[in-house]
Amino acid sequence: MTREKLRIGMFGYGCVGQGLHDVLNSSKGFKADIVRICVKNREKKRRIPMSNFTFEKDDILNDPSINLVVELIDDADAAFDIVTTAMKKGKNVVTANKVMVANHFKELVDMQGKYNVSLLYEASAGASIPIIRNLEEYYDNELLYSLRGILNGTTNYVLTLMHNQGTDYAAALNEAREKGFAESDPALDVEGWDAKFKLCIITGHAYGLFLEPKEVFHYGINTISKFDIQYAKEKGFKIKLVPYVGKTNENTITSFVLPRFISSDKYLYNVDNEYNGIITEAAFADKQFFSGKGAGGHATGSAVLSDISANSYGYKYEYKKYQQGTVSNYTRDYKLEIYLRYKNEKDRNLFGFEEVSEYFSGRLYKYAIGIVNLQRLYALRKQLPGMDVFIVNTGRKGIN
Ligand code: HSE
């Protein structure tokens, strides 16, 4: 296959943009020409000469010699505007913007066909782990039962510090921010949004359903307390934030994001710090485990570089599972076993436990372990952030 000569217009020069710049400079085999970088902040000191930059997006979008737009900005609405304008002008696009892709997934898929352009976004989910291309190319004919894992580096970093060093939540989150893992608004990380956006993108490639993020239940780690860590430790578990998507029957899937207890014999137990890990379970390939850095400029930059390189060969996602159309339904009617740490009995009653196998009532907190329906959790989603509770999927019922 011949390679097209790429002339790149880049948007954003933050953590990932600079990471990509470093990665491109050190890459021996592949050279791409970054013609211009569009940034917003005119005052900020840059580590390369100002002649590389522009503040006008049209300097890139209206330049006919630029054939690839690499979008690495923070603002999802501005990113959508840039990406769709570029596609309409016949330019291929590489992006790392999970919020944008997840929120406009179907529209972006349709636009690629309509304008005959390619949009690649490997860096948007799992950073350095090539999960999207694997799902597209390797699992295209596999019967995929489920996919679960750790898709957010910030929360994993926080949970690792809390578990291993007894660091308190706020200090651990500060450290994750200082290291450049967190979103500008870290609520996206700790409340589980980021993991959900990534899960929705993965679901599009794993099952061919382009779910709207608001359809999917998510819960994060921002109400975790030392009691929860202590409980997990006593039982030999770590707590990880684990998004899950899987089949409930031939043509139906369910998905959610919840903290989960992980025992020491499980792959995810040793996925610590900012690392991500993904487990697929399929009919023929059986169980597989991917792991790699899930956040940070260089790790994310490496996935962007891989997309740029793939682009030079004319690579496009074919959305094979969507074409096959075997999965057509989404359900939240799904039972799972949870640990609920709470203070007031009236809070516990909201969860509609169907069975309770363990119960503890102490002076400082109480907990119950039992079966609940995902539908019920979803119905509570607006109340949950204000409640003094913490939920963990035990992983014992429903899913393994
Ligand atoms: N804030 C994200 C994370 C960055 O912590 O995983 C990588 O997508």
Side-chain angles (χ1 to χ4, degrees), residues 90-343:
K91 298 185 196 301
N92 293 329
V93 178
V94 169
T95 177
N97 202 314
K98 54 242 159 165
V99 184
M100 179 201 63
V101 176
N103 280 333
H104 302 277
F105 206 175
K106 184 61 174 55
E107 193 179 344
L108 291 169
V109 171
D110 290 344
M111 282 185 73
Q112 291 173 69
K114 183 166 176 200
Y115 296 101
N116 192 25
V117 288
S118 161
L119 173 69
L120 302 180
Y121 40 83
E122 186 64 69
S124 68
S128 70
I129 305 175
I131 188 63
I132 297 175
R133 226 161 322 143
N134 266 290
L135 289 168
E136 273 291 308
E137 305 305 328
Y138 186 87
Y139 288 92
D140 54 340
N141 289 303
E142 260 282 11
L143 289 173
L144 193 60
Y145 296 138
S146 69
L147 182 150
R148 66 178 178 277
I150 297 168
L151 291 176
N152 181 268
T154 301
T155 47
N156 204 31
Y157 192 85
V158 169
L159 292 168
T160 302
L161 257 57
M162 289 180 82
H163 184 97
N164 291 356
Q165 294 163 33
T167 313
D168 78 40
Y169 172 81
L173 180 57
N174 260 339
E175 229 185 89
R177 294 185 77 178
E178 274 160 20
K179 289 195 182 277
F181 303 147
E183 299 300 301
S184 321
D185 175 5
L188 290 173
D189 296 294
V190 296
E191 291 176 9
W193 296 96
D194 178 82
K196 174 163 87 168
F197 294 139
K198 292 165 175 170
L199 181 67
C200 288
I201 295 170
I202 284 174
T203 302
H205 292 272
Y207 293 106
L209 278 197
F210 303 113
L211 300 171
E212 284 197 47
K214 67 172 191 281
E215 293 178 70
V216 178
F217 177 75
H218 74 275
Y219 188 76
I221 63 158
N222 52 319
T223 59
I224 195 169
S225 76
K226 59 179 195 268
F227 302 121
D228 308 311
I229 298 280
Q230 186 187 320
Y231 174 88
K233 276 191 152 175
E234 276 165 15
K235 303 278 177 182
F237 300 142
K238 285 182 182 171
I239 299 173
K240 304 282 186 189
L241 185 63
V242 179
Y244 170 88
V245 58
K247 282 197 164 184
T248 58
N249 67 38
E250 204 46 38
N251 61 2
T252 308
I253 56 167
T254 189
S255 69
F256 53 85
V257 176
L258 269 173
R260 183 177 168 148
F261 290 135
I262 307 287
S263 56
S264 60
D265 56 341
K266 295 288 194 291
Y267 288 127
L268 296 180
Y269 188 85
N270 290 317
V271 178
D272 275 340
N273 298 314
E274 78 273 30
Y275 275 75
N276 283 189
I278 299 168
I279 296 163
T280 52
E281 294 200 58
F284 314 122
D286 211 327
K287 202 173 197 173
Q288 291 182 307
F289 173 53
F290 303 80
S291 171
K293 282 194 173 168
H298 286 163
T300 313
S302 80
V304 176
L305 175 70
S306 172
D307 276 353
I308 294 174
S309 172
N311 195 284
S312 73
Y313 288 115
Y315 182 74
K316 285 181 178 178
Y317 298 134
E318 288 175 55
Y319 300 96
K320 290 175 181 148
K321 290 283 166 86
Y322 173 62
Q323 306 298 345
Q324 291 160 12
T326 43
V327 171
S328 49
N329 294 323
Y330 183 74
T331 184
R332 283 185 295 266
D333 184 9
Y334 184 74
K335 289 183 184 180
L336 66 168
E337 189 186 60
I338 63 163
Y339 154 102
L340 176 75
R341 192 253 308 143
Y342 64 99
K343 269 208 182 109

Side-chain angles (χ1 to χ4, degrees), residues 23 152 191 328 365 396 400:
V23 169
N152 181 268
E191 291 176 9
S328 49
Y365 72 103
R396 279 201 295 251
N400 315 294

